[in-house]
PDB file of all heavy atoms in Angstrom:
ATOM      1  N   HIS A 127       5.705  -9.401  -6.702  1.00 91.00           N
ATOM      2  CA  HIS A 127       6.278  -9.939  -5.466  1.00 91.00           C
ATOM      3  C   HIS A 127       6.749 -11.383  -5.598  1.00 91.00           C
ATOM      4  O   HIS A 127       7.232 -11.958  -4.623  1.00 91.00           O
ATOM      5  CB  HIS A 127       5.264  -9.807  -4.328  1.00 91.00           C
ATOM      6  CG  HIS A 127       4.985  -8.389  -3.992  1.00 91.00           C
ATOM      7  ND1 HIS A 127       5.789  -7.647  -3.155  1.00 91.00           N
ATOM      8  CD2 HIS A 127       4.004  -7.544  -4.422  1.00 91.00           C
ATOM      9  CE1 HIS A 127       5.318  -6.422  -3.071  1.00 91.00           C
ATOM     10  NE2 HIS A 127       4.245  -6.326  -3.827  1.00 91.00           N
ATOM     11  N   ALA A 128       6.631 -11.952  -6.772  1.00 88.00           N
ATOM     12  CA  ALA A 128       7.081 -13.330  -6.981  1.00 88.00           C
ATOM     13  C   ALA A 128       8.577 -13.345  -7.289  1.00 88.00           C
ATOM     14  O   ALA A 128       9.038 -12.589  -8.147  1.00 88.00           O
ATOM     15  CB  ALA A 128       6.309 -13.971  -8.127  1.00 88.00           C
ATOM     16  N   PRO A 129       9.353 -14.205  -6.600  1.00 84.00           N
ATOM     17  CA  PRO A 129      10.782 -14.294  -6.902  1.00 84.00           C
ATOM     18  C   PRO A 129      11.042 -14.708  -8.354  1.00 84.00           C
ATOM     19  O   PRO A 129      11.958 -14.196  -8.981  1.00 84.00           O
ATOM     20  CB  PRO A 129      11.287 -15.361  -5.930  1.00 84.00           C
ATOM     21  CG  PRO A 129      10.257 -15.440  -4.853  1.00 84.00           C
ATOM     22  CD  PRO A 129       8.959 -15.050  -5.491  1.00 84.00           C
ATOM     23  N   THR A 130      10.205 -15.617  -8.870  1.00 85.00           N
ATOM     24  CA  THR A 130      10.294 -16.043 -10.270  1.00 85.00           C
ATOM     25  C   THR A 130       8.879 -16.286 -10.778  1.00 85.00           C
ATOM     26  O   THR A 130       7.957 -16.466  -9.969  1.00 85.00           O
ATOM     27  CB  THR A 130      11.110 -17.351 -10.427  1.00 85.00           C
ATOM     28  OG1 THR A 130      10.359 -18.425  -9.834  1.00 85.00           O
ATOM     29  CG2 THR A 130      12.483 -17.245  -9.787  1.00 85.00           C
ATOM     30  N   PRO A 131       8.692 -16.338 -12.087  1.00 88.00           N
ATOM     31  CA  PRO A 131       7.345 -16.600 -12.613  1.00 88.00           C
ATOM     32  C   PRO A 131       6.736 -17.918 -12.130  1.00 88.00           C
ATOM     33  O   PRO A 131       5.516 -18.042 -12.066  1.00 88.00           O
ATOM     34  CB  PRO A 131       7.562 -16.620 -14.134  1.00 88.00           C
ATOM     35  CG  PRO A 131       8.743 -15.728 -14.349  1.00 88.00           C
ATOM     36  CD  PRO A 131       9.634 -15.972 -13.159  1.00 88.00           C
ATOM     37  N   SER A 132       7.558 -18.876 -11.755  1.00 88.00           N
ATOM     38  CA  SER A 132       6.997 -20.160 -11.303  1.00 88.00           C
ATOM     39  C   SER A 132       6.281 -20.035  -9.953  1.00 88.00           C
ATOM     40  O   SER A 132       5.556 -20.940  -9.557  1.00 88.00           O
ATOM     41  CB  SER A 132       8.097 -21.218 -11.213  1.00 88.00           C
ATOM     42  OG  SER A 132       9.050 -20.867 -10.236  1.00 88.00           O
ATOM     43  N   GLN A 133       6.464 -18.924  -9.247  1.00 89.00           N
ATOM     44  CA  GLN A 133       5.777 -18.733  -7.971  1.00 89.00           C
ATOM     45  C   GLN A 133       4.467 -17.927  -8.091  1.00 89.00           C
ATOM     46  O   GLN A 133       3.800 -17.703  -7.088  1.00 89.00           O
ATOM     47  CB  GLN A 133       6.690 -18.025  -6.951  1.00 89.00           C
ATOM     48  CG  GLN A 133       7.649 -18.942  -6.245  1.00 89.00           C
ATOM     49  CD  GLN A 133       8.942 -19.085  -7.013  1.00 89.00           C
ATOM     50  OE1 GLN A 133       9.424 -18.138  -7.608  1.00 89.00           O
ATOM     51  NE2 GLN A 133       9.494 -20.280  -7.007  1.00 89.00           N
ATOM     52  N   TYR A 134       4.076 -17.502  -9.279  1.00 91.00           N
ATOM     53  CA  TYR A 134       2.841 -16.737  -9.434  1.00 91.00           C
ATOM     54  C   TYR A 134       1.650 -17.487  -8.847  1.00 91.00           C
ATOM     55  O   TYR A 134       0.819 -16.926  -8.137  1.00 91.00           O
ATOM     56  CB  TYR A 134       2.541 -16.436 -10.907  1.00 91.00           C
ATOM     57  CG  TYR A 134       3.466 -15.452 -11.580  1.00 91.00           C
ATOM     58  CD1 TYR A 134       3.331 -15.198 -12.929  1.00 91.00           C
ATOM     59  CD2 TYR A 134       4.465 -14.785 -10.891  1.00 91.00           C
ATOM     60  CE1 TYR A 134       4.164 -14.305 -13.588  1.00 91.00           C
ATOM     61  CE2 TYR A 134       5.313 -13.895 -11.532  1.00 91.00           C
ATOM     62  CZ  TYR A 134       5.153 -13.662 -12.885  1.00 91.00           C
ATOM     63  OH  TYR A 134       5.983 -12.785 -13.517  1.00 91.00           O
ATOM     64  N   GLY A 135       1.562 -18.747  -9.174  1.00 91.00           N
ATOM     65  CA  GLY A 135       0.425 -19.551  -8.706  1.00 91.00           C
ATOM     66  C   GLY A 135       0.371 -19.639  -7.188  1.00 91.00           C
ATOM     67  O   GLY A 135      -0.705 -19.539  -6.587  1.00 91.00           O
ATOM     68  N   ALA A 136       1.518 -19.824  -6.550  1.00 91.00           N
ATOM     69  CA  ALA A 136       1.556 -19.918  -5.090  1.00 91.00           C
ATOM     70  C   ALA A 136       1.153 -18.593  -4.447  1.00 91.00           C
ATOM     71  O   ALA A 136       0.441 -18.578  -3.429  1.00 91.00           O
ATOM     72  CB  ALA A 136       2.947 -20.346  -4.629  1.00 91.00           C
ATOM     73  N   ILE A 137       1.574 -17.488  -5.026  1.00 93.00           N
ATOM     74  CA  ILE A 137       1.188 -16.182  -4.485  1.00 93.00           C
ATOM     75  C   ILE A 137      -0.311 -15.967  -4.653  1.00 93.00           C
ATOM     76  O   ILE A 137      -0.996 -15.508  -3.735  1.00 93.00           O
ATOM     77  CB  ILE A 137       2.005 -15.047  -5.129  1.00 93.00           C
ATOM     78  CG1 ILE A 137       3.447 -15.118  -4.617  1.00 93.00           C
ATOM     79  CG2 ILE A 137       1.389 -13.683  -4.831  1.00 93.00           C
ATOM     80  CD1 ILE A 137       4.377 -14.107  -5.212  1.00 93.00           C
ATOM     81  N   ASN A 138      -0.839 -16.329  -5.811  1.00 94.00           N
ATOM     82  CA  ASN A 138      -2.289 -16.218  -5.998  1.00 94.00           C
ATOM     83  C   ASN A 138      -3.032 -17.097  -4.995  1.00 94.00           C
ATOM     84  O   ASN A 138      -4.101 -16.722  -4.500  1.00 94.00           O
ATOM     85  CB  ASN A 138      -2.685 -16.590  -7.425  1.00 94.00           C
ATOM     86  CG  ASN A 138      -2.380 -15.484  -8.407  1.00 94.00           C
ATOM     87  OD1 ASN A 138      -2.176 -14.340  -8.019  1.00 94.00           O
ATOM     88  ND2 ASN A 138      -2.345 -15.819  -9.681  1.00 94.00           N
ATOM     89  N   GLY A 139      -2.463 -18.260  -4.696  1.00 93.00           N
ATOM     90  CA  GLY A 139      -3.063 -19.129  -3.686  1.00 93.00           C
ATOM     91  C   GLY A 139      -3.089 -18.468  -2.318  1.00 93.00           C
ATOM     92  O   GLY A 139      -4.088 -18.569  -1.588  1.00 93.00           O
ATOM     93  N   MET A 140      -2.011 -17.789  -1.954  1.00 93.00           N
ATOM     94  CA  MET A 140      -1.985 -17.062  -0.680  1.00 93.00           C
ATOM     95  C   MET A 140      -3.042 -15.960  -0.656  1.00 93.00           C
ATOM     96  O   MET A 140      -3.720 -15.745   0.356  1.00 93.00           O
ATOM     97  CB  MET A 140      -0.605 -16.446  -0.431  1.00 93.00           C
ATOM     98  CG  MET A 140       0.427 -17.412   0.060  1.00 93.00           C
ATOM     99  SD  MET A 140       2.005 -16.594   0.466  1.00 93.00           S
ATOM    100  CE  MET A 140       1.530 -15.638   1.916  1.00 93.00           C
ATOM    101  N   ILE A 141      -3.182 -15.265  -1.776  1.00 96.00           N
ATOM    102  CA  ILE A 141      -4.170 -14.192  -1.859  1.00 96.00           C
ATOM    103  C   ILE A 141      -5.576 -14.757  -1.673  1.00 96.00           C
ATOM    104  O   ILE A 141      -6.393 -14.203  -0.921  1.00 96.00           O
ATOM    105  CB  ILE A 141      -4.038 -13.445  -3.212  1.00 96.00           C
ATOM    106  CG1 ILE A 141      -2.718 -12.660  -3.252  1.00 96.00           C
ATOM    107  CG2 ILE A 141      -5.228 -12.524  -3.443  1.00 96.00           C
ATOM    108  CD1 ILE A 141      -2.357 -12.131  -4.626  1.00 96.00           C
ATOM    109  N   ILE A 142      -5.862 -15.867  -2.331  1.00 96.00           N
ATOM    110  CA  ILE A 142      -7.180 -16.497  -2.205  1.00 96.00           C
ATOM    111  C   ILE A 142      -7.417 -16.972  -0.777  1.00 96.00           C
ATOM    112  O   ILE A 142      -8.519 -16.851  -0.240  1.00 96.00           O
ATOM    113  CB  ILE A 142      -7.334 -17.657  -3.208  1.00 96.00           C
ATOM    114  CG1 ILE A 142      -7.360 -17.101  -4.636  1.00 96.00           C
ATOM    115  CG2 ILE A 142      -8.589 -18.469  -2.933  1.00 96.00           C
ATOM    116  CD1 ILE A 142      -8.500 -16.157  -4.929  1.00 96.00           C
ATOM    117  N   GLN A 143      -6.371 -17.494  -0.133  1.00 96.00           N
ATOM    118  CA  GLN A 143      -6.525 -17.898   1.270  1.00 96.00           C
ATOM    119  C   GLN A 143      -6.825 -16.689   2.153  1.00 96.00           C
ATOM    120  O   GLN A 143      -7.590 -16.796   3.119  1.00 96.00           O
ATOM    121  CB  GLN A 143      -5.286 -18.643   1.764  1.00 96.00           C
ATOM    122  CG  GLN A 143      -5.131 -20.030   1.173  1.00 96.00           C
ATOM    123  CD  GLN A 143      -6.389 -20.875   1.345  1.00 96.00           C
ATOM    124  OE1 GLN A 143      -6.953 -20.954   2.421  1.00 96.00           O
ATOM    125  NE2 GLN A 143      -6.827 -21.505   0.268  1.00 96.00           N
ATOM    126  N   GLY A 144      -6.219 -15.552   1.822  1.00 96.00           N
ATOM    127  CA  GLY A 144      -6.553 -14.327   2.548  1.00 96.00           C
ATOM    128  C   GLY A 144      -8.023 -13.977   2.372  1.00 96.00           C
ATOM    129  O   GLY A 144      -8.719 -13.644   3.345  1.00 96.00           O
ATOM    130  N   SER A 145      -8.509 -14.073   1.149  1.00 96.00           N
ATOM    131  CA  SER A 145      -9.921 -13.808   0.878  1.00 96.00           C
ATOM    132  C   SER A 145     -10.817 -14.766   1.654  1.00 96.00           C
ATOM    133  O   SER A 145     -11.801 -14.351   2.276  1.00 96.00           O
ATOM    134  CB  SER A 145     -10.180 -13.928  -0.627  1.00 96.00           C
ATOM    135  OG  SER A 145     -11.561 -13.820  -0.900  1.00 96.00           O
ATOM    136  N   ASN A 146     -10.475 -16.041   1.624  1.00 97.00           N
ATOM    137  CA  ASN A 146     -11.276 -17.038   2.336  1.00 97.00           C
ATOM    138  C   ASN A 146     -11.295 -16.760   3.836  1.00 97.00           C
ATOM    139  O   ASN A 146     -12.327 -16.921   4.489  1.00 97.00           O
ATOM    140  CB  ASN A 146     -10.739 -18.446   2.077  1.00 97.00           C
ATOM    141  CG  ASN A 146     -10.938 -18.878   0.636  1.00 97.00           C
ATOM    142  OD1 ASN A 146     -11.777 -18.344  -0.070  1.00 97.00           O
ATOM    143  ND2 ASN A 146     -10.162 -19.840   0.194  1.00 97.00           N
ATOM    144  N   THR A 147     -10.158 -16.358   4.368  1.00 97.00           N
ATOM    145  CA  THR A 147     -10.074 -16.054   5.800  1.00 97.00           C
ATOM    146  C   THR A 147     -10.986 -14.885   6.155  1.00 97.00           C
ATOM    147  O   THR A 147     -11.733 -14.933   7.142  1.00 97.00           O
ATOM    148  CB  THR A 147      -8.617 -15.746   6.195  1.00 97.00           C
ATOM    149  OG1 THR A 147      -7.805 -16.873   5.866  1.00 97.00           O
ATOM    150  CG2 THR A 147      -8.496 -15.434   7.674  1.00 97.00           C
ATOM    151  N   GLY A 148     -10.943 -13.830   5.352  1.00 97.00           N
ATOM    152  CA  GLY A 148     -11.815 -12.676   5.604  1.00 97.00           C
ATOM    153  C   GLY A 148     -13.278 -13.029   5.494  1.00 97.00           C
ATOM    154  O   GLY A 148     -14.107 -12.598   6.312  1.00 97.00           O
ATOM    155  N   ASN A 149     -13.629 -13.829   4.483  1.00 95.00           N
ATOM    156  CA  ASN A 149     -15.023 -14.243   4.323  1.00 95.00           C
ATOM    157  C   ASN A 149     -15.473 -15.176   5.443  1.00 95.00           C
ATOM    158  O   ASN A 149     -16.657 -15.222   5.779  1.00 95.00           O
ATOM    159  CB  ASN A 149     -15.221 -14.931   2.971  1.00 95.00           C
ATOM    160  CG  ASN A 149     -15.361 -13.937   1.848  1.00 95.00           C
ATOM    161  OD1 ASN A 149     -16.035 -12.925   1.984  1.00 95.00           O
ATOM    162  ND2 ASN A 149     -14.719 -14.200   0.729  1.00 95.00           N
ATOM    163  N   PHE A 150     -14.535 -15.923   6.020  1.00 96.00           N
ATOM    164  CA  PHE A 150     -14.868 -16.850   7.106  1.00 96.00           C
ATOM    165  C   PHE A 150     -15.107 -16.098   8.418  1.00 96.00           C
ATOM    166  O   PHE A 150     -16.048 -16.391   9.150  1.00 96.00           O
ATOM    167  CB  PHE A 150     -13.748 -17.877   7.283  1.00 96.00           C
ATOM    168  CG  PHE A 150     -13.999 -18.871   8.373  1.00 96.00           C
ATOM    169  CD1 PHE A 150     -14.896 -19.917   8.185  1.00 96.00           C
ATOM    170  CD2 PHE A 150     -13.358 -18.763   9.593  1.00 96.00           C
ATOM    171  CE1 PHE A 150     -15.137 -20.832   9.182  1.00 96.00           C
ATOM    172  CE2 PHE A 150     -13.595 -19.676  10.604  1.00 96.00           C
ATOM    173  CZ  PHE A 150     -14.487 -20.716  10.404  1.00 96.00           C
ATOM    174  N   PHE A 151     -14.260 -15.110   8.706  1.00 96.00           N
ATOM    175  CA  PHE A 151     -14.354 -14.411   9.984  1.00 96.00           C
ATOM    176  C   PHE A 151     -15.233 -13.156   9.943  1.00 96.00           C
ATOM    177  O   PHE A 151     -15.807 -12.775  10.962  1.00 96.00           O
ATOM    178  CB  PHE A 151     -12.957 -14.025  10.494  1.00 96.00           C
ATOM    179  CG  PHE A 151     -12.164 -15.205  10.962  1.00 96.00           C
ATOM    180  CD1 PHE A 151     -11.087 -15.674  10.221  1.00 96.00           C
ATOM    181  CD2 PHE A 151     -12.496 -15.848  12.128  1.00 96.00           C
ATOM    182  CE1 PHE A 151     -10.359 -16.777  10.644  1.00 96.00           C
ATOM    183  CE2 PHE A 151     -11.774 -16.952  12.573  1.00 96.00           C
ATOM    184  CZ  PHE A 151     -10.700 -17.410  11.831  1.00 96.00           C
ATOM    185  N   GLY A 152     -15.335 -12.508   8.795  1.00 95.00           N
ATOM    186  CA  GLY A 152     -16.058 -11.237   8.724  1.00 95.00           C
ATOM    187  C   GLY A 152     -17.535 -11.319   9.086  1.00 95.00           C
ATOM    188  O   GLY A 152     -17.983 -10.628  10.026  1.00 95.00           O
ATOM    189  N   PRO A 153     -18.342 -12.134   8.388  1.00 94.00           N
ATOM    190  CA  PRO A 153     -19.772 -12.171   8.704  1.00 94.00           C
ATOM    191  C   PRO A 153     -20.093 -12.582  10.147  1.00 94.00           C
ATOM    192  O   PRO A 153     -20.932 -11.932  10.789  1.00 94.00           O
ATOM    193  CB  PRO A 153     -20.330 -13.178   7.674  1.00 94.00           C
ATOM    194  CG  PRO A 153     -19.395 -13.037   6.510  1.00 94.00           C
ATOM    195  CD  PRO A 153     -18.032 -12.836   7.131  1.00 94.00           C
ATOM    196  N   PRO A 154     -19.421 -13.597  10.729  1.00 95.00           N
ATOM    197  CA  PRO A 154     -19.711 -13.889  12.135  1.00 95.00           C
ATOM    198  C   PRO A 154     -19.308 -12.742  13.076  1.00 95.00           C
ATOM    199  O   PRO A 154     -19.965 -12.495  14.087  1.00 95.00           O
ATOM    200  CB  PRO A 154     -18.884 -15.146  12.443  1.00 95.00           C
ATOM    201  CG  PRO A 154     -18.614 -15.769  11.126  1.00 95.00           C
ATOM    202  CD  PRO A 154     -18.553 -14.637  10.146  1.00 95.00           C
ATOM    203  N   ALA A 155     -18.229 -12.037  12.715  1.00 95.00           N
ATOM    204  CA  ALA A 155     -17.821 -10.892  13.536  1.00 95.00           C
ATOM    205  C   ALA A 155     -18.880  -9.800  13.494  1.00 95.00           C
ATOM    206  O   ALA A 155     -19.206  -9.192  14.525  1.00 95.00           O
ATOM    207  CB  ALA A 155     -16.466 -10.356  13.067  1.00 95.00           C
ATOM    208  N   VAL A 156     -19.439  -9.540  12.305  1.00 92.00           N
ATOM    209  CA  VAL A 156     -20.519  -8.551  12.191  1.00 92.00           C
ATOM    210  C   VAL A 156     -21.719  -9.000  13.016  1.00 92.00           C
ATOM    211  O   VAL A 156     -22.323  -8.197  13.741  1.00 92.00           O
ATOM    212  CB  VAL A 156     -20.908  -8.320  10.715  1.00 92.00           C
ATOM    213  CG1 VAL A 156     -22.228  -7.570  10.602  1.00 92.00           C
ATOM    214  CG2 VAL A 156     -19.813  -7.547   9.994  1.00 92.00           C
ATOM    215  N   ALA A 157     -22.070 -10.275  12.930  1.00 91.00           N
ATOM    216  CA  ALA A 157     -23.204 -10.785  13.707  1.00 91.00           C
ATOM    217  C   ALA A 157     -22.966 -10.578  15.202  1.00 91.00           C
ATOM    218  O   ALA A 157     -23.868 -10.165  15.941  1.00 91.00           O
ATOM    219  CB  ALA A 157     -23.426 -12.263  13.402  1.00 91.00           C
ATOM    220  N   ALA A 158     -21.748 -10.851  15.654  1.00 94.00           N
ATOM    221  CA  ALA A 158     -21.429 -10.686  17.077  1.00 94.00           C
ATOM    222  C   ALA A 158     -21.518  -9.227  17.498  1.00 94.00           C
ATOM    223  O   ALA A 158     -22.053  -8.906  18.571  1.00 94.00           O
ATOM    224  CB  ALA A 158     -20.031 -11.243  17.361  1.00 94.00           C
ATOM    225  N   VAL A 159     -21.010  -8.331  16.651  1.00 93.00           N
ATOM    226  CA  VAL A 159     -21.040  -6.897  16.976  1.00 93.00           C
ATOM    227  C   VAL A 159     -22.475  -6.389  17.000  1.00 93.00           C
ATOM    228  O   VAL A 159     -22.882  -5.658  17.916  1.00 93.00           O
ATOM    229  CB  VAL A 159     -20.177  -6.092  15.977  1.00 93.00           C
ATOM    230  CG1 VAL A 159     -20.423  -4.603  16.110  1.00 93.00           C
ATOM    231  CG2 VAL A 159     -18.706  -6.413  16.169  1.00 93.00           C
TER     232      VAL A 159
END
Side-chain angles (χ1 to χ4, degrees):
H127 294 277
T130 68
S132 64
Q133 278 89 37
Y134 290 175
I137 289 177
N138 283 343
M140 282 185 68
I141 292 168
I142 293 299
Q143 289 308 312
S145 174
N146 292 339
T147 302
N149 280 318
F150 180 76
F151 289 108
V156 166
V159 168

